[in-house]
Amino acid sequence: TMSLREHALSLFRGAVGTIRPAPMLKRALKLQGDGCPQLLVKGQAFPVKRDLYLVGFGKAVLGMAAAAEEILGDHLTRGIINVPLGIQESLQRAGMQEMLLKPHSKIQVIEGAKNNLPDEEALKGAGAILELAEGLTADDVLLVLISGRGGSALLPAPIPPILLKEKEKLTKMLASRGAAIQELNIVRKTLSMLKGGGLAQLAHPAQVVSLILSDVIGDPLDIIASGPTAPSSHSVQDCLQILTKYNLLHNLPKSVEMVLSSSPTKPTAPENYSHVSNIILGSNTLALEEAKRQAEVLGYAALVLSAAVQGEVGRVATLYCQLIQLVCLGFTSLRKGPLSDELRGNLLQLAAELQIPGLDLDKFLHALQGLGPDRPVCILAGGETTVQLQGTGKGGRNQELALRVGLGLHKAQATGVSSPQGRCEILFLSGGTDGQDGPTEAAGAFCSPGLVAEALQEGLHVEAFLRNNDSYTFFSQFQGGHHLLVTGLTGTNVMDIQAILIRAM
């Protein structure tokens, strides 16, 4: 029989495989017919009456563009993509040829946004995309490839006369006064030519088809990469309110004042988006569905908790620990009883505090209770946790989450609170779908209560590692790094994936 680690690794690989650019595009995008060809996207047909153009921006866009060009062939007239600095070289080094454009490609690649900050190169690329969009006619089709991660920084086009450095300075001032990321994005969008639906409006009257890889919880179209092809849900009024809230209305650069004062403050007639189709090609939800399908093939009773898990990593770890204890109770005769009720109560309270969007925990726990005691259980989840950095160690949010879950389970076992846990074999995996977790070469880690017990026996102080945010050092010096999840760059990104595997011993 395969080990739980082998199972977890295979589920993670399957989930990531399904959202890799090439398979994802090949499933969704087809070109049909010769006379007047049609672009088919997930079954929707778009006639290509004249020319077909392609633009894109974001971390995973290079691989998406390579796959798209292969599918479109000679029908593609021209393309421009804006990708992170150094990405072609990284993929080349990693031997990922399939993610790179062929020589003589019709797609121009511009690399910019060093350290994920808008810069002159990104501005140049955004300008080229803007120019291409403006020149389109009603008979043209513009295919837009959007990858959430890095997409926003790669599309800077401040409304003239605002300079990029003025817009950046304003954003930094807002951030230093404690503005939330949502507020920063509203201000950025208001001062941008391309964000907040700007790209779609400039491309009018051409048919715009956006293929989107989402890295945002809930896949909101107007938030992913600041929504260049989606109607913005915010107005100039919202922007002014935010600037007032942070006392910045009176020390704005002249150029920003000019743009804001010449923008209509009353909402104008909503712009027409009938020429735009936004299609989500890849998301955390799709990755989890594939992992669930594979878990069932491996014989697990599989359930998806949520694709929107968020919150501080310690609290999320507690949620997972209590879920695992509840499943272990189900493997014994203690399914009903005071311990089970206490765990359920704690779980419901934690879930309410974490405010995980769309999670119906009652319904999930009901489904969990319906599982027979004879099959191993697999619980899958995804999203993005946050880590409060306190130490100077090396790690990432996935490795820290895994270590915290392992420690939490070990403690529960040691205090004898959940003796039934002793009759279960448990493995927890957390990994970043882009293959990178923090500044380490690992994507995440596998952990079990047994691993923590063994580490403590060897005199390793697990809590000290956590206090120093040093989970990577813990996993790499223990058992030869066997518990690190190392996948290399994947060329895609839909946040993180967690898998809990439990079988009776």
Side-chain angles (χ1 to χ4, degrees), residues 394-395 399 403 440-442 444-446 451 460 465 470-486:
K394 197 172 175 189
Q399 294 161 71
L403 190 50
T440 73
E441 81 269 19
F446 307 86
L451 178 76
L460 287 177
F465 281 100
D470 206 12
S471 50
Y472 174 78
T473 307
F474 171 84
F475 285 116
S476 51
Q477 71 175 39
F478 192 65
Q479 288 194 349
H482 177 68
H483 291 271
L484 284 170
L485 169 68
V486 181

Side-chain angles (χ1 to χ4, degrees), residues 49 76 224 231 251 419 479 504:
K49 297 180 187 135
L76 179 64
I224 302 165
N251 48 0
S419 48
Q479 288 194 349

Side-chain angles (χ1 to χ4, degrees), residues 47 108 147 189 238 281 299 355 426 500:
Q108 178 192 357
S147 137
K189 277 199 276 193
D238 297 318
L281 278 199
Q355 294 184 321
I426 303 162
I500 297 169

Side-chain angles (χ1 to χ4, degrees), residues 57 133 135 179 219 225 231 275 349 354 356 385 388 390 393 430 434 437:
F57 27 89
D219 311 330
H275 65 298
Q349 192 184 335
L354 285 167
I356 295 168
T385 57
Q388 301 287 320
Q390 292 162 317
S430 186
D434 59 355
D437 186 37

Side-chain angles (χ1 to χ4, degrees), residues 3 31 143 148 151 177 210 266 381 433 445 492:
S3 70
L31 198 64
L143 192 61
R177 294 185 184 197
S210 257
K266 299 234 174 343
T433 54
T492 187

Side-chain angles (χ1 to χ4, degrees), residues 14-16 18-19 27 42 213-220 280-293 303-309 357-358 380-383 433 493-497:
V16 170
T18 200
I19 44 140
R27 272 198 314 271
K42 281 194 166 176
L213 180 64
S214 167
D215 68 330
V216 182
I217 282 178
D219 311 330
I280 298 233
L281 278 199
S283 65
N284 195 280
T285 305
L286 289 166
L288 291 175
E289 278 166 12
E290 178 59 24
K292 178 177 190 281
R293 201 186 61 73
L303 292 172
V304 173
L305 175 69
S306 163
V309 174
L380 296 156
T433 54
N493 186 4
V494 294
M495 302 181 289
D496 304 333
I497 286 177

